[in-house]
C-alpha cells in the first residue's frame, strides 16, 4: 500500500505567512504540520510515499528530503497548478500503479493517527473509504449524506444547503478503482477536478464506498485560528522537559519544554508551552498554549496562546495574544506621539468620535 501526500496549494488563508513559506511547514508545537502526517503514515506501516508539490516544491523537498528520517521513501510528483484533489490522483497514476493507497492532505491534523483506519481498510478492502466528522458549518467542506444504516448515499463539495453536518476529513483510502473515476469527472464551478465528484462516480456505479465517522480531534490547519487550536491540542499532550538554562530568578510552571540551548532569564513560563533551541526569554512572561521556535528573542513582553516562528524578536510590547508571528519578524513599541485622529471625510459625512 502506498500513500499520496498533497503538499501543493497556495495557502491563501494563512497569508502573509505563506507568501514566503509552504503552509504545510508552518510549525505546531515547533514541528511542521506535514511531519505529523508523515509520522502517522509510517506508524500505519506505509513506507512508499508520493508527494504532490507545487510552487513551494523546493522548500518541501529541503524539509522532507528522501523521507528516511521518517522511515519513508518519498518520490516527488510536480503539479503545475493546484487543479483539485482528483487531479492530484490523475497525475500520480504512473507512480501509484495498481496499488491501493492512502491520500493524505498535508495540512490536515488528526489526533491519534490513522493506523486503525488503514488496518480496517486492508481487512475489508472496499473500493473507497472516507473519513467523516461532525462540523458546525459544513458549507466550507465536502459533505456526505448517509442512509439511516450508515451507507454513503452521496457527496457534495462545499454545498450552500448541506444535507448533513458530516464533513470529509482530509484522509481517503482507495483501490485502483478510483483511477477510472478521476478520469470520468469534469471540472467543477471552481475549475477543479473534485475528489468528491470522483467518489460520487463510484457511488453511482454501485461500487463499495464506506465511511468511518471519527470522534477524535481533526483540523484543517488552513487559517490562523485553526493553527492556534491545533497548537493548543498538541501542547496539552506534551510532557515537562527542561533541557535549557533557567536562572534562579525565573519560574516554570506545569508542562513546559525548554529545549537545549534555550535560556530563560528573570521570566515566568506557564505551560503548556515550548521554548525552542537557542531562544532567549528575558524579563518576560510566556503563557499557556504558546510555541516559541528556535533562535527567538522575547524581552520585556508578555505572550500567550500564540505561535512564534524562528528567529523572531519581540521587545517591550506589553501583551500579545492569539497571534501567529512569522520568521525573522521584529515586534517593537510604536513611537510615542500625541494622541490624535486623522480623518479624510467625504461630503455630507457624519462621524462620532469618543475622546
Amino acid at each position: 500500500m502506498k500513500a499520496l501526500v498533497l503538499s501543493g496549494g497556495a495557502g491563501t488563508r494563512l497569508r502573509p505567512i505563506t507568501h514566503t513559506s509552504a503552509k504545510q511547514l508552518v510549525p505546531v508545537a515547533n514541528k511542521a504540520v506535514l511531519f505529523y502526517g508523515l509520522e502517522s503514515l509510517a506508524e500505519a506501516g506505509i513506507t512508499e510515499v508520493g508527494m504532490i508539490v507545487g510552487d513551494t516544491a523546493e522548500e518541501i523537498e529541503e524539509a522532507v528530503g528522501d523521507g528516511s528520517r521518517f522511515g519513508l521513501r518519498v518520490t516527488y510528483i510536480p503539479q503545475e497548478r493546484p487543479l483539485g484533489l482528483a487531479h492530484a490522483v490523475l497525475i500520480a497514476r504512473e507512480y501509484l500503479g495498481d496499488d491501493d493507497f492512502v491520500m493524505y492532505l498535508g495540512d490536515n491534523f488528526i489526533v491519534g493517527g490513522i493506523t486503525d483506519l488503514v488496518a480496517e481498510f486492508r481487512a475489508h478492502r472496499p473500493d473507497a473509504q472516507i473519513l467523516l466528522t461532525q462540523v458546525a458549518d459544513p458549507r466550507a467542506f465536502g459533505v456526505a449524506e448517509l442512509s439511516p444504516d450508515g451507507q454513503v448515499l452521496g457527496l457534495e463539495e462545499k454545498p450552500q444547503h448541506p444535507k448533513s453536518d458530516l464533513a470529509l476529513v482530509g484522509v481517503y483510502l482507495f483501490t485502483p478503482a478510483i483511477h477510472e473515476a478521476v478520469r470520468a469527472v469534469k471540472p467543477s464551478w471552481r475549475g477543479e477536478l473534485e475528489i468528491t465528484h470522483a467518489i460520487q462516480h463510484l457511488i453511482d456505479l454501485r461500487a463499495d464506498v464506506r465511511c468511518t465517522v471519527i470522534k477524535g480531534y481533526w483540523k484543517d490547519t488552513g487559517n490562523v485560528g485553526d493553527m492556534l487550536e491545533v497548537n493548543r491540542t498538541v501542547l496539552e499532550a506534551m510532557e515537562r522537559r527542561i533541557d535549557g538554562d533557567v536562572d534562579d530568578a525565573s519560574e516554570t510552571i506545569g508542562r513546559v519544554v525548554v529545549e537545549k540551548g534555550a535560556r530563560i532569564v528573570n521570566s515566568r513560563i506557564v505551560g503548556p508551552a515550548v521554548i525552542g533551541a537557542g531562544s532567549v526569554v528575558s524579563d518576560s512572561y510566556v503563557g499557556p498554549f504558546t510555541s516559541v521556535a528556535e533562535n527567538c528573542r522575547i524581552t520585556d513582553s508578555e505572550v500567550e496562546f500564540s505561535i512564534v516562528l524562528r528567529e523572531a524578536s519581540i521587545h517591550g510590547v506589553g501583551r500579545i495574544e492569539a497571534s501567529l508571528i512569522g520568521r525573522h519578524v521584529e515586534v517593537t513599541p510604536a513611537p510615542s506621539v500625541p494622541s490624535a485622529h486623522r480623518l479624510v471625510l467625504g461630503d455630507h459625512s457624519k462621524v462620532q468620535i469618543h475622546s
Side-chain angles (χ1 to χ4, degrees):
M1 192 171 189
K2 292 178 178 175
L4 187 65
V5 177
L6 275 60
S7 299
T12 55
R13 292 179 294 162
L14 273 174
R15 287 177 178 169
I17 297 293
T18 49
H19 278 309
T20 55
S21 178
K23 63 178 179 177
Q24 298 85 4
L25 296 181
V26 176
V28 168
N30 287 2
K31 181 165 68 177
V33 170
L34 174 62
F35 293 177
Y36 291 96
L38 295 178
E39 290 169 355
S40 292
L41 291 169
E43 288 168 4
I46 297 171
T47 58
E48 298 287 342
V49 175
M51 189 165 294
I52 301 292
V53 291
D55 291 343
T56 58
E58 185 176 343
E59 187 181 10
I60 295 287
E61 291 182 32
E62 181 179 354
V64 176
D66 63 2
S68 57
R69 61 181 286 199
F70 305 100
L72 305 172
R73 291 186 292 274
V74 174
T75 299
Y76 294 96
I77 303 169
Q79 185 181 37
E80 187 175 332
R81 288 189 296 138
L83 295 175
L85 305 188
H87 181 260
V89 176
L90 200 64
I91 64 173
R93 180 68 178 93
E94 182 178 350
Y95 171 78
L96 295 169
D98 292 326
D99 291 313
D100 297 345
F101 67 98
V102 179
M103 184 166 73
Y104 198 118
L105 307 194
D107 59 354
N108 275 228
F109 183 90
I110 301 175
V111 170
I114 61 169
T115 299
D116 291 344
L117 176 74
V118 171
E120 180 184 352
F121 178 82
R122 281 175 163 155
H124 301 286
R125 203 166 174 265
D127 294 301
Q129 187 164 340
I130 57 177
L131 266 69
L132 304 173
T133 192
Q134 289 183 307
V135 295
D137 185 4
R139 293 175 298 176
F141 303 95
V143 176
E145 180 186 7
L146 305 185
S147 68
D149 61 350
Q151 298 298 310
V152 183
L153 298 178
L155 303 175
E156 291 183 283
E157 184 65 33
K158 297 180 173 61
Q160 286 300 306
H161 304 286
K163 295 178 181 178
S164 80
D165 62 354
L166 293 172
L168 277 79
V169 174
V171 178
Y172 308 79
L173 298 99
F174 297 117
T175 67
I178 193 64
H179 295 301
E180 185 278 329
V182 298
R183 289 194 299 269
V185 299
K186 304 298 181 184
S188 67
W189 61 270
R190 300 193 302 165
E192 297 186 1
L193 295 177
E194 310 285 2
I195 198 66
T196 47
H197 293 178
I199 300 171
Q200 183 64 52
H201 181 80
L202 291 177
I203 295 170
D204 294 341
L205 293 176
R206 300 188 181 279
D208 186 5
V209 177
R210 303 187 186 185
C211 68
T212 300
V213 179
I214 62 171
K215 302 296 183 182
Y217 187 86
W218 163 77
K219 277 288 185 183
D220 169 2
T221 60
N223 59 51
V224 173
D226 287 339
M227 288 293 304
L228 293 173
E229 278 299 310
V230 172
N231 190 62
R232 177 187 63 79
T233 300
V234 176
L235 289 176
E236 284 182 329
M238 295 182 71
E239 298 294 331
R240 178 180 172 87
R241 178 167 51 85
I242 309 295
D243 294 333
D245 297 324
V246 180
D247 73 2
D248 293 339
S250 297
E251 183 180 24
T252 60
I253 300 171
R255 294 188 299 278
V256 173
V257 174
V258 179
E259 299 285 1
K260 185 177 180 180
R263 291 194 298 122
I264 311 299
V265 180
N266 192 35
S267 297
R268 189 167 186 256
I269 316 295
V270 178
V274 57
I275 310 298
S279 290
V280 178
V281 179
S282 59
D283 303 306
S284 296
Y285 165 79
V286 175
F289 313 123
T290 301
S291 295
V292 178
E294 64 271 20
N295 299 321
C296 294
R297 296 292 182 271
I298 299 177
T299 308
D300 192 25
S301 301
E302 296 183 4
V303 184
E304 188 168 306
F305 188 46
S306 294
I307 299 173
V308 183
L309 274 58
R310 61 181 172 85
E311 299 184 41
S313 171
I314 301 171
H315 175 73
V317 293
R319 190 171 183 85
I320 293 174
E321 287 185 351
S323 299
L324 176 56
I325 297 172
R327 298 173 299 177
H328 304 281
V329 165
E330 295 184 10
V331 183
T332 58
S336 180
V337 295
S339 178
H341 301 286
R342 181 176 182 270
L343 307 174
V344 178
L345 302 175
D347 296 345
H348 309 292
S349 296
K350 293 182 180 180
V351 178
Q352 293 181 332
I353 295 176
H354 290 284
S355 299

